[in-house]
Amino acid sequence: MTRSSTESVVGNPSRKLPQYIAALAASGGALAAGTFLGWTSPAEIPLVQNEEYKFPINAEEFSWIGSMANLGAALMCFPIGILMKMVGRKWAMLLLVLPLMLGWLLIIFASNVAMLMVGRFFLGVGGGAFAISGPAYTAEISDPSIRGALGMFFQLFITLGILFGYAVGAAVNVQVLSIICAVIPIAFGAIFFFMPESPQYFIEKNRIEDASKSLKWLRGSHYDQRAELETLQAEDAKLRAEKITFLQCFQQRATIRALIISLGLVFFHQMSGVNAVIFYTTTIFDAANSGLDPTAATIIVGVIQVVATFLATIIVDKVGRRILLMLSDFFMAVSTILLAVYFQLKEADETQVENLGWLPVLALCLFIAMFSIGYGPIPWLMIGELFANNVKAYVSPLGGAFSWLFAFLVTKVFTNLRDALGISGAFWLFSGISLVGTIFVFFIVPETKGISLVEIQRILSGEKVRGSKGHVNRAMEDDEK
């Protein structure tokens, strides 16, 4: 059949509202993941300086507490793919409620540092797995005409979760904050339980009747799903026919180039210092003596992150990936330079910055805004675009694990960098990395806006594709003899 999957064979268009409902329900997992990312910032001062939990926690121990979630997330990137194939996308996501609940319970009732560290590890296991399963589920249930918008829900709800942690943490103590955060995965499970399984999973298991029912739920009762079912079955048959081994996928030129680009984007995403900024926002504002309450400043940063991420969902297909990535990285470098200069002046003589309390506020707000509009969501979007379908199962988890491992590294060593180099030295380092990232995008990263997935694979293989809407930089093409 040649009819679009957005329309039934009798001319009845599919309904979009059920798909929005299912995508929003799935994004509850992202909200739960965002809360544990946002928890660290309001928790550091009460736990380290005020000993709110009645046992001592030093800065080095808290750096481990903050970073253990990233380690748990990195370790879960590969197992979640296996779990999704075994029990389905829906039940894999529902099972992730268990490590999230275990993590929060350990934190709520913690009587020592080890319980906090293990609790954070289990939160990372659940949140990291959601980072793989949530976008996959959303992509598979979505009509092509709204797949891009629904696909950005995950990053948006991550930022909402971070803001939630900031805002609630400003009003309650750490234990109450943890109790409130623990309610979110329970609410997610209760709501998501009633959502349909991905039709793609049912097709993989040759459960055609179940796939048909899933499409009826997602597209509306008047939608004739036969054309879409045939398309899904044909795509599944093609993937089975083109199935390759793990080693074979790394013998393909397009895959190698896509992997270099993806891992490069993930590296500069994390090494910009974003996790240090998010996890230690309150501490940075407290050290800056800006005159603004550190907790209030943290909430402002969270609001900016949400607004900028929402803006990115609107403009990314109009402006293009490369320009947003370059603007994002360049202005993140400018932001961290401003922070480095401020803290360097402060370390030399605090009287020099008495009237500059606004500077770190402006710099961090600019940093978060520019990160959220470019290097926040776009690397994950491009990972989905750059890899061929028959290699995604092997290489997509690599990107996730690589990202979380670098997040672990940055979060863990930020305190050590702050002690060894001074807070100014740490920000000088982040600014230098961001400038290198800008150069990386200019010379290495192709523009994928307006280019089909098939054409992207041809470009990565070294072919010249003419007449495409997006600009493709010459670094990705064969040199002409």
Side-chain angles (χ1 to χ4, degrees):
M1 293 201 179
T2 59
R3 292 176 177 86
S4 168
S5 63
T6 65
E7 188 175 310
S8 75
V9 293
V10 294
N12 292 322
S14 68
R15 293 184 63 203
K16 305 298 190 296
L17 180 59
Q19 298 168 59
Y20 277 96
I21 292 172
L24 285 169
S27 297
L31 185 68
T35 57
F36 82 73
L37 294 174
W39 178 92
T40 314
S41 185
E44 182 179 19
I45 292 175
L47 294 184
V48 176
Q49 297 182 13
N50 303 336
E51 292 192 14
E52 194 174 282
Y53 266 29
K54 309 305 180 185
F55 57 86
I57 303 173
N58 59 40
E60 174 67 16
E61 290 170 332
F62 192 82
S63 72
W64 277 105
I65 292 169
S67 58
M68 283 302 290
N70 297 312
L71 187 59
L75 293 176
M76 195 60 186
C77 285
F78 289 96
I80 186 59
I82 298 172
L83 187 63
M84 288 165 62
K85 284 186 174 295
M86 288 176 57
V87 301
R89 285 54 156 167
K90 174 183 174 178
W91 281 102
M93 294 168 70
L94 287 172
L95 287 173
L96 296 178
V97 173
L98 298 178
L100 288 172
M101 287 306 304
L102 178 58
W104 284 122
L105 287 172
L106 285 167
I107 290 173
I108 291 166
F109 297 106
S111 58
N112 52 58
V113 172
M115 287 182 70
L116 288 173
M117 290 175 61
V118 175
R120 291 282 298 173
F121 178 85
F122 277 108
L123 290 179
V125 167
F130 268 122
I132 302 294
S133 57
Y137 174 84
T138 302
E140 291 178 5
I141 66 164
S142 302
D143 191 280
S145 63
I146 57 172
R147 185 174 295 153
L150 299 189
M152 295 295 282
F153 278 4
F154 190 85
Q155 182 68 23
L156 182 61
F157 273 71
I158 286 279
T159 62
L160 285 171
I162 293 170
L163 176 59
F164 181 88
Y166 289 169
V168 175
V172 300
N173 62 38
V174 176
Q175 190 172 47
V176 174
L177 169 63
S178 302
I179 293 171
I180 294 172
C181 289
V183 174
I184 294 178
I186 297 175
F188 158 77
I191 295 170
F192 192 63
F193 178 81
F194 297 98
M195 297 300 111
E197 176 59 89
S198 159
Q200 181 67 49
Y201 168 73
F202 287 134
I203 292 294
E204 291 173 3
K205 298 298 182 181
N206 200 31
R207 295 165 58 181
I208 308 304
E209 184 62 29
D210 288 328
S212 176
K213 292 177 181 178
S214 177
L215 284 171
K216 280 285 188 182
W217 195 103
L218 292 164
R219 307 291 191 256
S221 58
H222 297 293
Y223 177 71
D224 189 328
Q225 73 282 11
R226 286 174 294 178
E228 188 166 357
L229 277 175
E230 289 180 10
T231 300
L232 289 174
Q233 288 176 284
E235 289 176 353
D236 182 65
K238 182 181 178 183
L239 285 176
R240 291 176 189 274
E242 296 177 350
K243 188 175 181 179
I244 60 175
T245 66
F246 181 80
L247 292 177
Q248 284 174 331
C249 79
F250 292 103
Q251 296 172 3
Q252 298 178 350
R253 183 177 186 182
T255 301
I256 293 172
R257 283 189 164 184
L259 191 61
I260 291 171
I261 295 166
S262 299
L263 296 187
L265 289 175
V266 166
F267 173 81
F268 291 111
H269 165 103
Q270 294 295 350
M271 297 305 289
S272 66
V274 62
N275 275 292
V277 170
I278 290 174
F279 282 23
Y280 300 107
T281 301
T282 302
T283 305
I284 291 169
F285 277 112
D286 185 54
N289 294 323
S290 62
L292 183 65
D293 178 66
T295 303
T298 301
I299 294 172
I300 291 171
V301 168
V303 171
I304 291 172
Q305 189 175 22
V306 171
V307 172
T309 303
F310 179 74
L311 178 62
T313 67
I314 299 172
I315 67 174
V316 67
D317 283 323
K318 298 177 182 178
V319 177
R321 282 67 158 153
R322 290 184 77 241
I323 188 65
L324 286 179
L325 285 169
M326 286 188 287
L327 286 173
S328 174
D329 224 6
F330 177 77
F331 282 103
M332 283 194 293
V334 170
S335 303
T336 46
I337 287 172
L338 291 175
L339 286 167
V341 170
Y342 175 88
F343 283 109
Q344 190 165 328
L345 292 173
K346 185 175 184 289
E347 290 163 3
D349 182 3
E350 288 198 22
T351 60
Q352 296 183 83
V353 295
E354 287 180 350
N355 298 319
L356 292 176
W358 54 270
L359 184 59
V361 178
L362 174 65
L364 254 69
C365 289
L366 178 63
F367 180 96
I368 288 295
M370 297 312 298
F371 173 82
S372 300
I373 211 169
Y375 254 94
I378 291 177
W380 303 109
L381 173 63
M382 293 197 71
I383 286 174
E385 294 177 325
L386 292 173
F387 292 108
N389 285 334
N390 63 340
V391 303
K392 280 184 180 179
Y394 297 122
V395 293
S396 292
L398 278 177
F402 194 75
S403 176
W404 286 110
L405 284 173
F406 268 100
F408 167 77
L409 177 65
V410 173
T411 308
K412 174 63 189 73
V413 305
F414 179 71
T415 301
N416 306 96
L417 281 174
R418 190 173 57 187
D419 294 339
L421 305 175
I423 195 167
S424 62
F427 283 119
W428 278 120
L429 177 62
F430 291 142
S431 65
I433 292 173
S434 291
L435 288 174
V436 174
T438 308
I439 297 171
F440 172 83
V441 173
F442 182 81
F443 285 104
I444 302 297
V445 178
E447 178 59 76
T448 57
K449 176 178 76 79
I451 302 176
S452 72
L453 298 181
V454 173
E455 288 176 326
I456 290 172
Q457 291 306 302
R458 290 171 57 195
I459 293 166
L460 293 171
S461 297
E463 299 180 32
K464 289 186 179 293
V465 177
R466 303 189 184 278
S468 60
K469 297 177 182 178
H471 167 74
V472 181
N473 47 308
R474 293 179 182 175
M476 298 309 302
E477 299 177 341
D478 280 338
D479 294 332
E480 292 186 343
K481 300 294 184 181

